[in-house]
Amino acid sequence: INAAYMGAVELSIVLAQTGCCAVYMIFVAQNLKMLLGTATGCASWTDIPLWVLVVAQLVVHVPLSWVRFLKQLGWAAIIADAFVILGIVYIMVQDGVIIAIEGVKTVPMFNPRSCAIFIGTSIFVYEGIALVLPIRASMRDHREFPAVTTAAVATTCVVCSAFAMLGVLAYGFQLKDNILLAIPQDVLLVVDLPNFRWGLVQTVQAAYVVAVVFTFPLQLFPATRVFED
């Protein structure tokens, strides 16, 4: 019975982490497609099938996934966190500006059509839960683990709740699954040439792409350890 329970837990970890990684790859492909199309002004980039950009990411993901010790991925986690914070701050400020100019959008308190998506997305917020034990094993002082975990979970809840609330109030039903695709692409352009446009929005999109790429091996790490064991 214990072996069956252990197998069920390990199967759940593998499915959860590989599912998160699959979402990551689609997210990167969508943002790359829009980023390249907007920056170059070339419509041919938008005609590229999404699966091509997904497969192309394996050139980066596979070597990073060969890392076998979580401590060696510390630099990747720091880079990813820095870019994620940059993106969160910009998007929340942009939401605040839209609310200040256009006012708060009217949205129902409960939408049964998208309830299932809301539940799935809420669960996806805790995508890194399988990394808790590997992180504890990598800590120098295990006594600090409860405090660090509590602070991390509480911060995640507050930031994600505020982020989602501002997005809904700013965009209403026009809000897309990927909020980066809903933000106006011509805000604060730094370079505006006939064949190349680059601004703050493109910088945030590129930062998120880099962040997700460096987060990929961390999310896949628990599933990799299960397969190896």
Side-chain angles (χ1 to χ4, degrees):
I1 297 177
N2 291 335
Y5 287 156
M6 182 61 70
V9 171
E10 291 181 343
L11 178 62
S12 298
I13 291 175
V14 170
L15 293 177
Q17 299 311 115
T18 52
C20 289
C21 291
V23 173
Y24 279 179
M25 296 179 75
I26 296 174
F27 176 87
V28 170
Q30 287 179 337
N31 281 277
L32 275 177
K33 194 172 183 178
M34 172 167 278
L35 180 62
L36 293 172
T38 303
T40 61
C42 183
S44 59
W45 284 110
T46 59
D47 296 333
I48 298 177
L50 202 62
W51 67 268
V52 174
L53 296 175
V54 170
V55 173
Q57 297 173 52
L58 296 177
V59 177
V60 178
H61 291 323
V62 171
L64 288 177
S65 301
W66 288 340
V67 177
R68 289 297 176 263
F69 296 98
L70 199 59
K71 291 181 179 179
Q72 296 176 352
L73 294 173
W75 61 272
I78 293 174
I79 294 174
D81 290 343
F83 283 133
V84 167
I85 292 173
L86 171 64
I88 289 176
V89 170
Y90 170 76
I91 292 172
M92 293 182 74
V93 170
Q94 180 70 19
D95 291 344
V97 171
I98 292 176
I99 292 174
I101 296 175
E102 302 179 3
V104 175
K105 299 296 190 299
T106 302
V107 292
M109 296 298 295
F110 178 74
N111 185 3
R113 293 180 298 176
S114 60
C115 181
I117 298 177
F118 165 76
I119 294 174
T121 305
S122 300
I123 295 174
F124 189 75
V125 169
Y126 299 97
E127 57 191 316
I129 195 67
L131 286 167
V132 169
L133 293 180
I135 289 175
R136 182 183 183 278
S138 300
M139 292 182 67
R140 182 177 302 173
D141 187 356
H142 293 175
R143 293 173 298 180
E144 298 179 358
F145 176 74
V148 172
T149 304
T150 302
V153 173
T155 302
T156 301
C157 290
V158 172
V159 172
C160 289
S161 298
F163 187 88
M165 181 182 65
L166 283 175
V168 171
L169 294 178
Y171 295 99
F173 285 114
Q174 296 179 353
L175 185 64
K176 299 181 180 180
D177 296 337
N178 184 352
I179 193 171
L180 294 175
L181 304 181
I183 298 176
Q185 300 295 304
D186 56 351
V187 177
L188 295 177
L189 289 175
V190 178
V191 180
D192 191 3
L193 300 175
N195 296 323
F196 185 77
R197 304 177 73 196
W198 192 271
L200 187 56
V201 176
Q202 287 72 33
T203 302
V204 172
Q205 287 179 328
Y208 258 107
V209 168
V210 174
V212 172
V213 167
F214 281 122
T215 306
F216 186 93
L218 291 170
Q219 294 300 331
L220 193 61
F221 184 82
T224 304
R225 292 296 296 269
V226 169
F227 279 120
E228 290 180 343
D229 295 340

